[in-house]
Amino acid sequence: MSLKTIIPPSLAGKLKRLGIHKEADLLLHFPLRYDDLTKLTPIGECRTGQTVVTEAVVLGKQILYKPRRTLQVQLAEHSDSLQVQLSLRYFVFYPNTEKAFEVGKTIRVFGELRTTKTGLEMVHPKLLPLDKPLPNEHTAVYPSMAGMAQSAWHTMIGRALKNEAWLVDYLPPAVAVKYGLLGFASALHYLHLPSVAIDMADKIALAWKRIKFDELLAQQLMMRQVRSISAQESAYPALASGQLRRRLLAALPFQLTSAQTQVTQQILADCALAVPMQRLLQGDVGSGKTVVAFLAAVEVIEAGFQVAIMAPTEILAEQHYHKAVAWLAPLDIKTVWLSGAMQGKEGRTAREACSSGVAQLIIGTHALFQSKVFIPRLNLVVIDEQHRFGVKQRLALRERAKDSEHLPHMLMMSATPIPRSLAMSYYANLDVSVIDELPRGRQAITTKLVADKRRTELLGRVGEVCAEGGQAYWVCPLIEESEVVDLQNAEATFAALKLALPTLSIGLLHGRLPSEQKQSIMQQFLAHELDLLVSTTVIEVGVDVPNASLMVIEHAERFGLAQLHQLRGRVGRGTRASTCVLLYSGPLSENARARLKVIYETQDGFEIAQADLRIRGPGELLGAKQSGDQALRFADIQVDFDLLQQARDTVAELFDEPMFPRQAFVDRWFNTSVDWSKA
Ligand code: ADP
Ligand code: MG
């Protein structure tokens, strides 16, 4: 039997749109809920909140037009009753609906009861035929689309469940026993065809456990598979004496933290192998990831290769470029800046430097790899703030960087700390290095929550900080509707601040500025030619101006946690005591309040990410781009953390087990529109 024989041709398109492409997709299309239509509840026993089938006599009906066209029906147990016991209400109805409610006639309805001013009510109840016996089983209700009746789902899934070949249990019985898991077929039966047995709730819970376990196991297997395929790819080992690296270290105005030293060693060890590195470098905001990337870069350059460093924004890429020139020019390393916006001769010269191999270090935004640039000896790609890049972008980049047989080493850097559950699931295909300490001598950042009405006071404080030789950021919020409004808002704030603080030199930075202008404003701020920088969130990631010690975030309640943490990380980078002021205007939503509380109470990026995961869920945290294709549909890595761990242990046991049908297991769960084998 094939899926085609089960799905009526008229529904094929709809099912595709619901993501149902293969038999397993249909079997794993689980009910939203179960309705109990097995028994009649006498109208006198109906209570608010229950969902019941009941029978009653129609006492009267009318169509009302206020506030909108509504059909109302009054019911009672007997036709001579004087008191209405239940009302029905329909907002969408046809002449036939109305006809069905004939005064004096007995009807049977199914719906949820609620209490209104006028008594018990059902909104849009389902009308059931009086002459048909009630079902013996609970009725599964499936997520559906317009034009698809529930009965269609029941028929298709009922037939699918009869097909034993589709229900084969790929999980070895020993594993099922070890973790107390139901068989695959039983789990599906309990979920789709729930019995009226008294322990149904327990059975369904058990069935969910099995389903979630399988999903997590499939994800873990896939990740492990990705890794083992990656391990078979080749890369050029970058072997060098380390003398350039030592010279860079000696020239730095600071000493590496021991965490920086350790992760540098891990990265260098990877780059010395003939297998492409796939490493994620994690370190909280300000922990000093950039210098680690440069140390790895000079080593690979000394070995005779080219290196590319990519950042998500031009401002950040530009900043890396300036740092590279300052740090690496004394080592005679030729650095080239390549931006997507670079046209004409300038762009041509830069690209030629890349393709001739003259450029040893190439820095740019991700546009770097969309352009026609050819980098023949490319052997290390660093992606800064990798959470801003989707997996697909990363794959495209790797493909572009690939010569006939070799892949470059890849280093992804992220300040978004990854809770362990996420690291174990979505990032399981990467090696992870962590910088878990901040450089010594950093001043703690004081975070203040300030109501918008105390703005004037705050302006005084900004003036003082700048008068003492400090610098400040003033961040304007994102207003969702349009970029234009954002811009107007930032411009208005800029004008107001100039008026209020006439002695300061103030700059305005926003995403709409041409890139040279952005860069020149950033440079002015870095050189302390500007005291105060008014900005939209373009400064969110990576910007590094150690002398800036005050950050004001307007309408902080509109920002996400990760964003607030990133923004706050722009201060506290030098030796000045730093402050981050979160300006808010009430009333605050519950979520906004929760976010501000977290950011006020902790500076630990890890804790903040945990809270973020709790408030928003993993899909949001990873960004839609990344979670998309490998998103978990049923398991929740936070709630089901124990299962995740069990699945991981099981992968270790089963992965190389020759009798285990690994591919079949994975295929049941994932539609791989992305070629994960290369991720
Ligand atoms: P992030 O990890 O957020 O990218 P950066 O690499 O931008 O952090 O580093 C933040 C600041 O700390 C930079 O000014 C950098 O030069 C400085 N820095 C890096 N490592 C150290 C260190 N070991 N000691 C002192 N300052 C350091
Ligand atoms: Mg950085």
Side-chain angles (χ1 to χ4, degrees):
M1 185 157 57
S2 75
L3 196 57
K4 262 197 176 149
T5 61
I6 286 187
I7 297 178
S10 59
L11 294 183
K14 287 202 169 73
L15 290 189
K16 274 222 177 77
R17 262 176 281 148
L18 285 168
I20 297 175
H21 304 283
K22 56 183 192 293
E23 50 254 42
D25 299 334
L26 183 61
L27 288 170
L28 300 175
H29 187 78
F30 291 120
L32 282 174
R33 60 166 205 275
Y34 305 100
D35 285 341
D36 183 358
L37 296 135
T38 59
K39 55 181 189 297
L40 272 179
T41 305
I43 199 162
E45 289 170 24
C46 285
R47 299 287 174 267
T48 190
Q50 295 172 330
T51 301
V52 299
V53 182
T54 190
E55 287 181 5
V57 181
V58 178
L59 292 185
K61 62 175 169 182
Q62 56 282 136
I63 296 174
L64 306 172
Y65 288 91
K66 268 184 193 162
R68 53 199 265 219
R69 191 165 170 269
T70 304
L71 170 64
Q72 248 188 356
V73 182
Q74 289 81 33
L75 305 176
E77 190 160 12
H78 308 288
S79 56
D80 50 0
S81 171
L82 291 175
Q83 206 196 336
V84 176
Q85 287 173 285
L86 175 65
S87 309
L88 311 180
R89 191 188 290 268
Y90 291 86
F91 298 110
V92 181
F93 57 95
Y94 303 97
N96 269 344
T97 324
E98 197 202 327
K99 253 191 229 142
F101 299 105
E102 207 176 294
V103 175
K105 212 177 109 180
T106 301
I107 55 155
R108 182 187 283 177
V109 287
F110 170 75
E112 191 181 339
L113 295 157
R114 62 175 201 180
T115 306
T116 66
K117 271 180 277 174
T118 54
L120 267 187
E121 181 181 88
M122 274 183 185
V123 176
H124 274 249
K126 197 168 163 190
L127 201 56
L128 303 175
L130 267 180
D131 49 352
K132 266 213 192 143
L134 289 169
N136 298 321
E137 304 290 321
H138 289 236
T139 309
V141 181
Y142 289 92
S144 193
M145 299 180 84
M148 261 193 87
Q150 284 295 322
S151 57
W153 289 109
H154 288 215
T155 313
M156 288 185 298
I157 290 172
R159 287 173 69 187
L161 283 171
K162 292 209 175 72
N163 203 342
E164 274 171 32
W166 295 4
L167 307 180
V168 177
D169 199 337
Y170 299 127
L171 194 69
V175 177
V177 170
K178 185 168 169 188
Y179 297 118
L181 299 168
L182 287 180
F184 183 65
S186 315
L188 291 180
H189 275 100
Y190 285 134
L191 289 173
H192 288 297
L193 308 169
S195 72
V196 287
I198 35 170
D199 63 346
M200 179 178 108
D202 298 341
K203 291 259 171 57
I204 286 182
L206 264 179
W208 274 122
K209 179 177 166 190
R210 167 66 202 254
I211 295 301
K212 290 173 174 183
F213 179 87
D214 277 21
E215 185 183 37
L216 290 165
L217 181 59
Q219 188 202 39
Q220 295 291 308
L221 285 166
M222 187 169 74
M223 291 294 186
R224 177 71 177 264
Q225 216 161 320
V226 165
R227 284 184 75 119
S228 73
I229 293 171
S230 285
Q232 289 160 21
E233 309 254 25
S234 338
Y236 294 108
L239 301 169
S241 71
Q243 61 110 351
L244 281 183
R245 181 164 44 89
R246 280 190 293 276
R247 280 172 61 193
L248 172 56
L249 274 176
L252 288 176
F254 49 76
Q255 282 219 310
L256 293 192
T257 61
S258 54
Q260 283 172 313
T261 306
Q262 197 186 347
V263 301
T264 307
Q265 292 308 333
Q266 290 167 349
I267 293 164
L268 293 179
D270 276 5
C271 291
L273 298 177
V275 176
M277 170 170 74
Q278 288 271 72
R279 189 171 280 279
L280 179 69
L281 173 58
Q282 235 191 289
D284 208 343
V285 178
S287 61
K289 295 181 291 292
T290 317
V291 69
V292 171
F294 282 162
L295 287 165
V298 298
E299 186 89 351
V300 174
I301 289 169
E302 192 195 329
F305 298 99
Q306 293 171 292
V307 174
I309 298 182
M310 306 190 337
T313 65
E314 292 218 346
I315 290 179
L316 188 50
E318 174 79 11
Q319 178 184 291
H320 285 335
Y321 176 70
H322 286 291
K323 215 161 235 185
V325 171
W327 282 352
L328 306 186
L331 307 179
D332 285 329
I333 291 175
K334 169 88 173 141
T335 304
V336 160
W337 162 252
L338 200 65
S339 113
M342 245 155 67
Q343 299 291 331
K345 182 151 182 285
E346 201 189 7
R348 215 166 35 242
T349 313
R351 282 195 292 273
E352 269 165 24
C354 294
S355 60
S356 65
V358 169
Q360 291 163 294
L361 178 60
I362 300 122
I363 297 183
T365 60
H366 63 254
L368 207 146
F369 279 87
Q370 284 154 10
S371 61
K372 296 169 295 235
V373 58
F374 174 55
I375 310 173
R377 305 266 309 149
L378 182 62
N379 196 23
L380 171 63
V381 177
V382 179
I383 307 178
D384 197 10
E385 303 297 345
Q386 87 93 32
H387 60 283
R388 292 285 199 94
F389 286 95
V391 173
K392 281 184 188 175
Q393 277 171 299
R394 203 169 85 214
L395 292 182
L397 185 150
R398 229 171 79 145
E399 275 313 294
R400 285 210 57 131
K402 189 175 180 167
D403 73 6
S404 52
E405 285 134 47
H406 296 84
L407 283 170
H409 298 288
M410 299 256 279
L411 178 64
M412 278 74 64
M413 305 204 289
S414 175
T416 306
I418 302 167
R420 211 156 78 87
S421 53
L422 267 186
M424 271 169 57
S425 52
Y426 293 95
Y427 286 112
N429 62 331
L430 301 175
D431 292 309
V432 179
S433 294
V434 182
I435 305 182
D436 55 5
E437 62 182 323
L438 292 178
R440 241 170 299 141
R442 286 280 162 79
Q443 302 288 327
I445 305 170
T446 311
T447 302
K448 291 188 173 147
L449 282 168
V450 175
D452 198 49
K453 46 180 191 281
R454 288 173 51 203
R455 222 181 157 84
T456 330
E457 242 173 275
L458 181 62
L459 289 175
R461 185 71 202 123
V462 173
E464 279 167 33
V465 166
C466 294
E468 288 160 12
Q471 286 168 278
Y473 295 99
W474 191 291
V475 180
C476 303
L478 219 65
I479 300 167
E480 303 242 329
E481 298 94 72
S482 87
E483 214 179 312
V484 180
V485 178
D486 278 356
L487 184 53
Q488 284 167 354
N489 184 56
E491 275 168 347
T493 308
F494 175 60
L497 286 170
K498 272 210 299 207
L499 263 182
L501 299 164
T503 57
L504 301 188
S505 87
I506 307 179
L508 172 64
L509 188 70
H510 58 78
R512 283 282 187 95
L513 288 175
S515 56
E516 303 94 73
Q517 219 169 321
K518 273 190 235 168
Q519 285 153 23
S520 102
I521 290 171
M522 255 345 275
Q523 278 308 308
Q524 287 171 37
F525 190 59
L526 185 62
H528 202 166
E529 288 158 24
L530 294 174
D531 301 306
L532 176 61
L533 185 65
V534 180
S535 163
T536 56
T537 49
V538 289
I539 59 150
E540 178 196 337
V541 288
V543 167
D544 184 35
V545 180
N547 190 50
S549 62
L550 175 62
M551 155 96 29
V552 179
I553 304 174
E554 258 197 81
H555 282 295
E557 76 278 2
R558 293 188 190 155
F559 290 92
L561 268 181
Q563 232 177 353
L564 288 173
H565 181 59
Q566 277 278 357
L567 283 168
R568 180 170 58 184
R570 297 310 110 215
V571 294
R573 302 191 145 233
T575 45
R576 280 171 193 282
S578 296
T579 308
C580 175
V581 177
L582 306 173
L583 266 182
Y584 67 91
S585 48
L588 295 176
S589 74
E590 204 172 305
N591 254 343
R593 189 184 300 274
R595 285 197 304 268
L596 291 180
K597 184 166 185 292
V598 169
I599 212 80
Y600 177 71
E601 284 177 352
T602 177
Q603 249 177 78
D604 180 335
F606 188 79
E607 258 178 57
I608 292 171
Q610 284 281 10
D612 211 10
L613 186 60
R614 211 167 45 235
I615 299 174
R616 291 197 300 166
E620 290 271 335
L621 193 59
L622 289 164
K625 283 187 213 141
Q626 278 194 34
S627 56
D629 297 274
Q630 49 183 346
L632 295 166
R633 281 171 287 172
F634 307 113
D636 174 330
I637 53 173
Q638 290 278 89
V639 177
D640 304 310
F641 189 70
D642 292 344
L643 280 180
L644 172 60
Q645 232 150 358
Q646 291 167 0
R648 230 165 78 115
D649 295 344
T650 306
V651 170
E653 270 171 49
L654 288 186
F655 195 77
D656 293 316
E657 172 58 52
M659 298 303 286
F660 174 60
R662 191 173 79 202
Q663 199 58 49
F665 194 96
V666 171
D667 287 347
R668 196 175 252 171
W669 289 92
F670 291 96
N671 275 317
T672 45
S673 67
V674 170
D675 188 354
W676 290 104
S677 64
K678 298 198 186 112

